Amino acid sequence: SIGLARGYLNKPDLTAEKFVPNPFSPTPGSRLYKSGDLVRYLPDGNLEFMGRIDHQVKIRGFRIELEEIDAVLQEFDQILDGTVLVHEDSESNKALIAYFIPSNGGEVVEKELQAYLKRRLPDYMVPSLYVRMESFPLTSSGKIDRKQLPIPKEFQHIKSEYAAPRSQS
């Protein structure tokens, strides 16, 4: 059998969005799965992975949609706007970093913000660092220019937390 599935069970809209017509197949009705990976053809015919077209990341084995964290972050009543990015240091340690603009120029207590996110999100989706911003750098289309967000100095001190096994099972 070619492929993994024909679609999503009882979700025709999601199926239509993710299972697109296959322009390379002579078989009518043939489909491709739109994975969200961005690739390009190399001169030798191989594909090179360039990144993702969405904001899905993988940290410590968990696939995370950054927009899910953004949505919860923006619900915090002391936040006017916020976004989350993943940064990777030279040792391949990855960390989620929350950037936020306080509402009405007020003070946001980072521990309160972190506690709020811990109540609403799984542990692996809670950012490690929080960066207060006065405004966000914007692209020409008015969206947050994620490439221009500053990398906090504290990031270089984050190490992945490894816990050795303590029992046989």
Side-chain angles (χ1 to χ4, degrees):
S1 151
I2 298 174
L4 299 174
R6 293 185 184 160
Y8 291 98
L9 182 63
N10 300 324
K11 295 186 178 183
D13 292 343
L14 187 58
T15 297
E17 178 186 338
K18 294 293 187 177
F19 290 82
V20 297
N22 182 352
F24 307 108
S25 175
T27 306
S30 177
R31 301 275 180 193
L32 291 175
Y33 178 69
K34 191 174 178 182
S35 69
D37 291 338
L38 178 64
V39 298
R40 70 176 179 162
Y41 277 107
L42 296 174
D44 64 4
N46 285 314
L47 296 173
E48 178 182 13
F49 176 74
M50 304 294 292
R52 301 276 307 167
I53 59 173
D54 56 13
H55 297 292
Q56 185 183 83
V57 296
K58 189 172 185 179
I59 297 180
R60 295 182 293 279
F62 294 101
R63 290 212 173 272
I64 300 170
E65 292 281 353
L66 294 178
E67 288 90 350
E68 290 180 38
I69 306 171
D70 288 354
V72 174
L73 178 66
Q74 292 168 9
E75 290 173 359
F76 189 62
D77 60 0
Q78 297 174 29
I79 298 285
L80 176 67
D81 198 3
T83 192
V84 175
L85 291 182
V86 65
H87 284 292
E88 185 172 349
D89 69 11
S90 59
E91 297 173 11
S92 297
N93 294 314
K94 293 180 182 177
L96 292 170
I97 301 175
Y99 296 86
F100 63 91
I101 300 172
S103 57
N104 299 324
E107 287 300 314
V108 173
V109 178
E110 290 176 16
K111 292 208 180 290
E112 288 177 19
L113 175 56
Q114 187 174 38
Y116 173 80
L117 295 174
K118 282 184 176 184
R119 287 191 305 271
R120 306 275 317 274
L121 296 167
D123 287 342
Y124 64 88
M125 291 176 73
V126 176
S128 303
L129 293 172
Y130 298 81
V131 179
R132 177 192 168 113
M133 305 282 293
E134 296 300 319
S135 64
F136 288 134
L138 302 177
T139 64
S140 59
S141 62
K143 295 183 179 181
I144 296 174
D145 188 348
R146 294 168 180 270
K147 293 178 184 173
Q148 298 300 319
L149 289 170
I151 299 173
K153 294 175 190 170
E154 299 92 341
F155 178 67
Q156 53 195 292
H157 302 296
I158 293 176
K159 300 291 180 193
S160 59
E161 297 178 20
Y162 170 75
R166 296 185 191 138
S167 67
Q168 294 296 325
S169 55

